[in-house]
Amino acid sequence: MSHDATSRALFARAEGLLPGGVSSPVRAFRGVGGTPRFMRRGEGPYLIDADGNRLVDLVCSWGPLILGHAHPEVVEAVSRVLRDGSTFGAPTEIELELAERVVATFPAIDMVRFVSSGTEAGMSVVRLARGATGRTGLVKFDGCYHGHADPLLAAAGSGVATLGLPDSAGVSAATTADTIVVPFNDLEAVERVFAARGDQIAAILLEAVAGNMGVVPPAPGFLAGLRAIADRHGALLVIDEVMTGWRVDPAGAQVRYDVRPDLVCLGKVIGGGFPAAAYGGRRDLMLQVAPVGPVYQAGTLSGNPVAMAAGLATLDVLARGEAWPAADRFAAALEAGLREAAERVGIPLTVQRVGTMLTPFFTEDPVRNYADARAADAARYGRFFHAMLDAGVYLPPSAFEASFTSAAHGDAELERILAALPNALTA
Ligand SMILES: *Cc1c(COP(=O)(O)O)cnc(C)c1O
């Protein structure tokens, strides 16, 4: 029996039932080739797949699991809430507790609206920005991903980048006509767009640390420059922190880089492994949202008590101050290990890390934008990925994604990774 025979059999069955055998495209391994592993269990820093292989998990469900799998406090909080009913479609006190935590964490957020996914958060802030400004234009950056709402599927990162699609079928030209795409970290390009049509632009929307083209930090002055341009033209600055919130900093990118957005998207960590996300920001803007204001947005499971409990328990653990530094230390050790191993075996590698997110790009040059990310050797990443997987380390199955660490990762996991690197880097 091969070590992934069960996964292969499950995938064959899945291909007849789910498009591509998956519920979300990147999971299908198209970016690296081969057959995806089916997962059975998570345990701290480990995933246990359908064949019983124990894999060091550097995906952490694409970001949410900053405490690792099945953290006892999260499990306990969720179980307690679940026994009293999982959804009421009515307000609950636990929403307020999580909202208070968010408001206390982010100086730019006065009020918050809970939704169920980052996609919903992205879609809703665009509607709100347009409703509040009476303008339709939207500036977004090449390779940034904000979920799969139609107006945002122009030059999007993540799975769209992995599959090499410039766009998506089914998105009409009219829907993206007001979306202006510029290169990340290119302030002059943004200046030019605003010089031409600044009075039509509702918002600049970005990941302040890009994570969906691999990790790309903002160049010095980039974020402050965007803030100044938005102010000069009466546009809003919207920072999508669905990935970076509680990840690049104990708070988020806006705190780490000291920039004040008008609106913010949150997701991933905020749901503690359950479907919860949020958007929030300036009080006057949030009061434009229904039922107080004219911008409609709603959700059957929004503010779901089980998801709120998981998020709250996660943020409670983070607030004690030990978990984030632990995840950050592990990421720093991983970064150093990757650099040293690459140097030793003579493979050009640029490791970009901000806090608990990092990406090894197979190139010798710094990656400042999506064009740079695409210029890196994605085929080599695929070979690296499979060699690491064979050695028991689960990396993101795409060269255009971030790896994530958790507070549960420790010395044993680091050792296993470091031992696998020389062989995998030269695969
Ligand atoms: C993951 C992600 C989203 C989409 O969130 P989903 O919950 O997958 O819909 C949006 N923006 C960013 C920056 C993300 O990383």
Side-chain angles (χ1 to χ4, degrees):
M1 281 276 277
S2 104
H3 62 292
D4 62 350
T6 310
S7 279
R8 284 170 186 274
L10 289 170
F11 190 59
R13 188 171 138 210
E15 282 187 297
L17 294 167
L18 313 171
V22 290
S23 297
S24 192
V26 182
R27 297 179 196 172
F29 276 29
R30 296 277 170 108
V32 292
T35 313
R37 297 292 176 86
F38 278 64
M39 300 305 171
R40 198 162 60 196
R41 224 154 50 74
E43 196 183 291
Y46 291 98
L47 281 166
I48 292 91
D49 73 14
D51 291 278
N53 299 297
R54 263 172 93 76
L55 310 169
V56 177
D57 183 11
L58 292 176
V59 178
C60 291
S61 193
W62 303 96
L65 301 179
I66 194 155
L67 305 179
H69 293 272
H71 188 281
E73 287 180 52
V74 176
V75 172
E76 152 61 24
V78 164
S79 313
R80 186 163 18 90
V81 168
L82 183 56
R83 275 193 292 272
D84 287 335
S86 63
T87 178
F88 311 118
T92 57
E93 189 174 357
I94 197 166
E95 290 168 89
L96 309 185
E97 290 175 38
L98 190 53
E100 280 162 354
R101 207 61 63 87
V102 169
V103 168
T105 304
F106 297 97
I109 301 184
D110 301 321
M111 300 185 91
V112 60
R113 165 64 61 87
F114 289 112
V115 292
S116 298
S117 72
T119 288
E120 259 188 282
M123 177 183 83
S124 306
V125 281
V126 169
R127 186 180 305 139
L128 174 53
R130 287 174 167 166
T133 59
R135 301 172 175 184
T136 53
L138 187 68
V139 171
K140 90 171 273 292
F141 295 88
D142 196 11
C144 279
Y145 180 66
H146 306 289
H148 61 84
D150 282 10
L152 298 172
L153 276 184
S158 189
V160 184
T162 309
L163 300 175
L165 304 176
D167 217 323
S168 168
V171 174
S172 70
T175 333
T176 54
D178 292 317
T179 307
I180 306 151
V181 180
V182 290
F184 194 71
N185 274 331
D186 189 342
L187 210 47
E188 272 170 36
V190 180
E191 290 276 18
R192 280 195 299 275
V193 166
F194 273 86
R197 47 194 289 202
D199 61 344
Q200 300 157 31
I201 296 170
I204 303 171
L205 169 62
L206 81 158
E207 301 175 73
V209 174
N212 285 289
M213 53 177 119
V215 175
V216 180
F222 180 57
L223 300 175
L226 295 179
R227 178 70 273 177
I229 293 170
D231 286 344
R232 214 174 320 125
H233 293 273
L236 302 179
L237 180 64
V238 183
I239 298 189
D240 181 349
E241 297 238 36
V242 168
M243 184 185 291
T244 53
W246 296 279
R247 273 258 164 223
V248 298
D249 178 277
Q254 59 196 279
V255 174
R256 184 173 181 124
Y257 297 99
D258 193 22
V259 56
R260 197 177 182 101
D262 301 293
L263 292 169
V264 176
C265 300
L266 297 168
K268 298 192 169 118
V269 169
I270 201 178
F274 282 75
Y279 61 102
R282 272 167 42 195
R283 187 175 304 277
D284 63 306
L285 294 172
M286 292 306 290
L287 289 175
Q288 297 292 309
V289 176
V292 205
V295 178
Y296 193 72
Q297 186 272 309
T300 301
L301 292 176
S302 295
N304 175 264
V306 182
M308 298 288 104
L312 196 57
T314 301
L315 299 191
D316 276 344
V317 175
L318 289 175
R320 294 207 293 268
E322 284 154 24
W324 192 87
D328 183 57
R329 272 196 306 277
F330 188 88
L334 184 55
E335 177 189 8
L338 278 160
R339 285 233 170 87
E340 282 159 26
E343 206 166 301
R344 215 169 336 116
V345 297
I347 294 292
L349 190 74
T350 297
V351 187
Q352 300 197 165
R353 176 179 76 92
V354 183
T356 67
M357 302 165 26
L358 87 171
T359 300
F361 291 100
F362 284 93
T363 170
E364 48 203 337
D365 304 314
V367 174
R368 294 146 307 180
N369 55 41
Y370 188 38
D372 292 347
R374 273 191 317 240
D377 189 344
R380 188 176 267 286
Y381 182 88
R383 298 197 297 276
F384 172 67
F385 167 86
H386 279 290
M388 292 301 285
L389 186 57
D390 287 342
V393 180
Y394 190 71
L395 289 162
S398 161
F400 301 103
E401 301 283 359
S403 291
F404 299 93
T405 62
S406 85
H409 289 81
D411 292 344
E413 291 73 53
L414 187 64
E415 252 171 61
R416 193 198 284 200
I417 296 168
L418 296 184
L421 284 180
N423 176 45
L425 286 168
T426 50

